[in-house]
Amino acid sequence: TDNTHIELKKFQKRYPEQLRLLKLEKNSGLSAARNAGLEIAKGEYIQFLDADDLLMPERLRHLIKFIGNLDEKPDIIASHYLKKFINGVESEVTVERKSPWIALMQGRLGCSVSNFWKINSIKSVGGFDEKQRTSVEYDLMFRMFQKKAIVVYDDKPLVNIFQREGSL
């Protein structure tokens, strides 16, 4: 409703290789938007980013190098992140390195934006559940772990997640 799509079309004309716009649709929720992005994604991994969050400039370069140093390519890289509140307070949120199942049940396995995801692994479990409104990444990881997904941990908090009072 704020004409963002018009501004995005201008950017798409200037950067056709870097920006691809999907058709303008009614808002069907976060999971539907992420699933639509998964359908057109061309890479092996995907980084989700919400409108009110921020990736540090070195985030993707760091993750590519991180994966390159591993013997086996993971399905999920669970990463620490910085939670920043509107009053200026910030805290580092760390992932739990116990069993992924225990960390998942404790809500300590990162979030959609802080984690880095292998596209085929997400697709193999049917993507995000579009009926679910909150904790969508935990439902997704649960289904991925049922299929023996491999998770590794990254201690560098290169994502800022901004938190407003009362937000989920």
Side-chain angles (χ1 to χ4, degrees):
T1 59
D2 66 356
N3 293 322
T4 298
H5 65 286
I6 293 169
E7 294 302 315
L8 287 172
K9 283 182 181 180
K10 292 177 190 175
F11 275 104
Q12 184 182 31
K13 284 180 183 172
R14 286 176 51 196
Y15 307 103
E17 296 300 315
Q18 289 85 10
L19 181 63
R20 181 170 174 197
L21 296 178
L22 304 180
K23 63 181 178 173
L24 187 62
E25 297 181 4
K26 106 177 169 32
N27 186 344
S28 298
L30 186 62
S31 293
R34 288 189 175 149
N35 286 337
L38 283 166
E39 286 307 309
I40 63 163
K42 295 180 180 177
E44 186 175 357
Y45 285 87
I46 193 164
Q47 170 70 63
F48 297 108
L49 183 63
D50 294 341
D52 57 350
D53 299 325
L54 179 69
L55 299 180
M56 296 294 95
E58 67 273 23
R59 165 76 174 177
L60 296 178
R61 188 176 306 111
H62 165 75
L63 288 170
I64 291 165
K65 185 177 179 183
F66 184 87
I67 291 169
N69 291 327
L70 299 172
D71 294 330
E72 189 173 7
K73 289 189 176 180
D75 300 290
I76 303 166
I77 298 175
S79 298
H80 295 337
Y81 60 94
L82 294 176
K83 187 177 275 192
K84 296 191 172 194
F85 295 89
I86 202 140
N87 63 5
V89 173
E90 68 178 54
S91 64
E92 185 173 334
V93 178
T94 60
V95 293
E96 182 59 61
R97 290 177 176 260
K98 296 176 185 172
S99 148
W101 283 105
I102 292 172
L104 182 71
M105 294 307 131
Q106 292 176 336
R108 300 278 315 278
L109 203 54
C111 64
S112 298
V113 174
S114 70
N115 293 351
F116 201 54
W117 307 84
K118 194 172 199 179
I119 292 171
N120 287 340
S121 300
I122 296 174
K123 288 181 175 181
S124 75
V125 297
F128 288 92
D129 181 349
E130 296 181 16
K131 291 181 224 124
Q132 195 165 338
R133 292 292 173 216
T134 63
S135 304
V136 295
E137 67 272 31
Y138 279 77
D139 169 71
L140 176 65
M141 287 189 281
F142 182 89
R143 290 181 283 122
M144 290 172 74
F145 290 155
Q146 286 179 311
K147 290 196 168 208
K148 311 287 187 235
I150 297 168
V151 62
V152 297
Y153 307 94
D154 179 24
D155 297 336
K156 275 198 161 201
L158 297 175
V159 176
N160 292 335
I161 296 180
F162 295 92
Q163 187 89 31
R164 294 180 315 277
E165 246 183 82
S167 73
L168 297 173

